[in-house]
Amino acid sequence: TATVNQMQSHAVIVDMAISEGGNVQDSQHDEVVVARNGVKIINESGYPKVLPKQASLLWSKASLYFITKVSQDPALIDLKPI
């Protein structure tokens, strides 16, 4: 609680360990808790299941963007051996 109280207003904490009891004292299972100073504590128990999929989607999007740019201008990459 002391750490949360020292944080700036409108800061956000995502407690990803809520299904095991949580890492933040004020955590409530599957609820968003707003501390007195305006700090939001997000306690979604499904994040560990969702994040790998989101990370894969972001990686594939970034890779597609990179490949598209390089295919338009191959000079963007120096393929000479070091």
Side-chain angles (χ1 to χ4, degrees), residues 31-76:
E31 290 184 21
V32 176
V33 176
V34 181
R36 279 184 260 165
N37 61 345
V39 174
K40 288 185 180 179
I41 305 167
I42 300 173
N43 307 295
E44 176 63 48
S45 60
Y47 276 132
K49 297 173 190 167
V50 175
L51 285 179
K53 181 179 179 181
Q54 294 299 321
S56 295
L57 289 172
L58 288 171
W59 175 255
S60 61
K61 241 183 178 178
S63 299
L64 179 62
Y65 178 80
F66 175 77
I67 292 168
T68 301
K69 288 293 182 187
V70 169
S71 66
Q72 292 171 357
D73 186 6
L76 292 172

Side-chain angles (χ1 to χ4, degrees), residues 15-22 29 44-45 48:
D15 192 347
M16 296 183 65
I18 192 64
S19 58
E20 286 84 32
H29 193 71
E44 176 63 48
S45 60

Side-chain angles (χ1 to χ4, degrees), residues 1-13 26 33-41:
T1 303
T3 302
V4 174
N5 291 337
Q6 292 175 359
M7 296 177 74
Q8 292 183 1
S9 178
H10 304 295
V12 177
I13 300 170
D26 298 327
V33 176
V34 181
R36 279 184 260 165
N37 61 345
V39 174
K40 288 185 180 179
I41 305 167

